[in-house]
């Protein structure tokens, strides 16, 4: 079965770039912590790409019905082997909550209201439209903790799972949520098989 794969990168304030060839495309997602990461290797014989995708660039990797959405965490690195290419590394948007520190205190407040308040104050770039209601009330303090840890604690109390699930311009298959959905789909994408529009370079070997 031939899978269709597309890779798109949008630099901050820049135009979307569609990858045509690649040396490496690897996406991983831990089943325990749900925070994914990616590594891309793109041929760059002219040196034009090494400065094209700075930290914070948005990356979307689609393989059939699986969609991974993340951001560049480390500046691209230029490497030379038998050919010249750049490597791009980053995290998915759930992992971004591991970089955001929150300081809040709540008294007798619904858990879903706490979630909405935390994301509104500390991560307004996330869409909270799909946050699931949870009427359980708690009194809780978050003294300089990561938003990730706050969400882990709240989900443990509520008995819910949580994840970030980004809105995409294209339609993607609906996934039945078991907990909150704050909006970047987590999927595992294996080393891609070329589609009619994306061709791996001759030196790419299957995983």
């Amino acid at each position: 079965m031939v899978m269709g794969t597309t890779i798109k990168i949008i630099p901050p304030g820049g135009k979307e770039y569609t990858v045509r060839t690649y040396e490496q495309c690897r996406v991983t997602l831990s089943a325990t912590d749900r925070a994914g990461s990616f590594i891309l290797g793109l041929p760059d014989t002219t040196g034009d790409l090494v400065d094209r995708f700075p930290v914070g660039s948005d990356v979307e990797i689609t393989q059939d019905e699986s969609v991974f959405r993340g951001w560049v965490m480390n500046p691209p690195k230029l490497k030379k082997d038998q050919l010249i290419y750049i490597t791009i590394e980053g995290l998915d948007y759930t992992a971004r909550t591991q970089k955001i520190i929150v300081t809040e205190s709540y008294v007798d407040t619904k858990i879903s209201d706490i979630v909405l308040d935390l994301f509104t104050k500390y991560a307004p770039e996330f869409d909270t439209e799909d946050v699931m209601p949870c009427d359980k009330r708690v009194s809780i303090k978050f003294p300089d903790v990561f938003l990730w840890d706050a969400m882990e604690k709240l989900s443990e109390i509520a008995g819910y799972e949580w994840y970030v699930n980004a809105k995409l311009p294209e339609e993607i298959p609906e996934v039945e949520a078991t907990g909150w959905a704050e909006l970047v789909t987590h999927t595992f994408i294996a080393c891609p098989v070329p589609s009619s529009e994306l061709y791996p370079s001759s030196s790419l070997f299957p995983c």
Side-chain angles (χ1 to χ4, degrees):
M1 178 179 177
V2 177
M3 301 180 185
T5 302
T6 58
I7 303 172
K8 298 178 181 179
I9 308 174
I10 306 177
K15 295 182 179 179
E16 179 179 278
Y17 175 85
T18 300
V19 174
R20 298 299 179 187
T21 61
Y22 61 89
E23 290 297 314
Q24 181 184 30
C25 177
R26 182 178 301 165
V27 176
T28 58
L29 176 64
S30 169
T32 55
D33 66 16
R34 299 177 304 283
S37 62
F38 68 88
I39 299 177
L40 295 176
L42 310 181
D44 188 18
T45 55
T46 64
D48 293 338
L49 297 182
V50 68
D51 296 320
R52 189 165 184 173
F53 309 119
V55 172
S57 296
D58 182 82
V59 176
E60 178 186 325
I61 303 171
T62 306
Q63 189 171 47
D64 286 344
E65 296 182 348
S66 298
V67 180
F68 177 94
R69 191 77 174 267
W71 54 292
V72 176
M73 184 179 67
N74 299 318
K77 299 176 182 177
L78 187 65
K79 295 188 176 182
K80 296 182 180 180
D81 195 355
Q82 294 180 340
L83 52 90
I84 300 174
Y85 65 99
I86 61 169
T87 58
I88 302 174
E89 299 179 1
L91 300 173
D92 76 352
Y93 282 102
T94 301
R96 177 171 282 187
T97 61
Q98 296 173 331
K99 307 292 183 181
I100 300 171
I101 295 178
V102 303
T103 302
E104 295 294 333
S105 179
Y106 301 93
V107 177
D108 192 30
T109 307
K110 292 180 181 179
I111 289 180
S112 53
D113 288 345
I114 296 175
V115 172
L116 289 170
D117 186 64
L118 288 173
F119 275 87
T120 299
K121 289 179 178 177
Y122 295 94
E125 67 274 20
F126 292 111
D127 192 318
T128 56
E129 186 177 304
D130 290 342
V131 171
M132 301 290 288
C134 180
D135 292 333
K136 185 169 185 177
R137 292 178 173 272
V138 296
S139 296
I140 193 168
K141 291 182 180 181
F142 299 117
D144 295 326
V145 301
F146 290 113
L147 179 56
W148 168 276
D149 295 320
M151 289 298 298
E152 287 288 283
K153 183 64 176 178
L154 291 171
S155 62
E156 179 184 350
I157 295 171
Y160 282 1
E161 293 292 331
W162 76 279
Y163 58 93
V164 174
N165 172 21
K167 280 188 172 178
L168 304 175
E170 299 81 13
E171 290 187 5
I172 59 175
E174 292 186 4
V175 178
E176 190 162 329
T178 57
W180 300 303
E182 280 83 33
L183 299 169
V184 177
T185 298
H186 297 313
T187 53
F188 176 79
I189 303 176
C191 197
V193 177
S195 69
S196 60
E197 296 183 351
L198 181 66
Y199 300 91
S201 354
S202 57
S203 60
L204 178 69
F205 294 94
C207 294

